[in-house]
Amino acid sequence: MAQNFPRDRFDSLPNGIDRVGAHRAPERRGRGWIAFGIAALVTVVLVAAGIVGLMIFNGRLDFAEPSPPPPSEQPVETAVPTVAPDVPVLVLNGTDASGLAGTASETLQAAGVPVSSAANASESTIETTTVYYASEELEGAARGVLGALGVGDVGLDPSIAETGGTITVVLGADYAAAVAG
């Protein structure tokens, strides 16, 4: 048996609403899209936070100020290669190739580099040609000698000054190959 309650203000609904009872309101248009937008935004924020968290955890993202590279990785400033006609060069053959010191001496003299003497080195198994210079002021002249030879490297060796020299070239297998080729 159904009970009939007296009508009150909650039973009065606007026309066009098919619902029963005053506690129910009509659904607003676009309500589903609002929920979808909020869910999408929350998903994007959570995914971004997860990616950033993983990057921090794996060490790929670091908010600390970067430290300078170790000295071995810092760029080395070099002197400009020059030809110093007042700096004599000693040429030593560090290979088994006969006459290599003479060939290098002729090449250097043709480039304007004075050669004091040419001889064989105490070793004959040198792989890389090296131009040694006695002081930092001579680095540019050593690089000029290296440029005239075309192969090798330069190195500072203060002990050369003790024997009265300034620049010493020790020819290696790389120069012998360059001359032969």
Side-chain angles (χ1 to χ4, degrees):
M1 170 166 161
Q3 289 183 321
N4 288 337
F5 295 101
R7 287 191 57 83
D8 59 13
R9 63 185 173 108
F10 296 108
D11 292 326
S12 301
L13 295 175
N15 292 335
I17 296 179
D18 295 333
R19 297 180 182 228
V20 179
H23 64 279
R24 295 186 183 183
E27 266 190 47
R28 293 187 322 210
R29 292 182 62 162
R31 184 172 161 216
W33 287 108
I34 293 172
F36 176 77
I38 291 172
L41 180 65
V42 168
T43 302
V44 167
V45 168
L46 288 175
V47 168
I51 290 172
V52 169
L54 283 175
M55 290 176 73
I56 291 172
F57 182 73
N58 289 335
R60 291 187 178 174
L61 183 65
D62 187 10
F63 295 108
E65 186 174 320
S67 61
S72 63
E73 294 178 15
Q74 289 181 350
V76 177
E77 291 187 28
T78 59
V80 177
T82 60
V83 175
D86 59 333
V87 179
V89 176
L90 170 64
V91 180
L92 300 175
N93 182 1
T95 69
D96 288 331
S98 178
L100 193 62
T103 304
S105 296
E106 291 172 3
T107 302
L108 291 174
Q109 288 174 345
V113 176
V115 176
S116 61
S117 64
N120 288 328
S122 59
E123 290 185 44
S124 62
T125 59
I126 305 296
E127 293 294 321
T128 304
T129 300
T130 306
V131 180
Y132 294 102
Y133 55 99
S135 63
E136 296 204 14
E137 297 83 33
L138 296 172
E139 182 181 359
R143 291 196 179 277
V145 170
L146 180 66
L149 292 174
V151 295
D153 201 2
V154 295
L156 177 64
D157 186 0
S159 67
I160 295 173
E162 296 171 6
T163 60
T166 53
I167 295 179
T168 301
V169 177
V170 180
L171 301 170
D174 58 347
Y175 184 74
V179 170

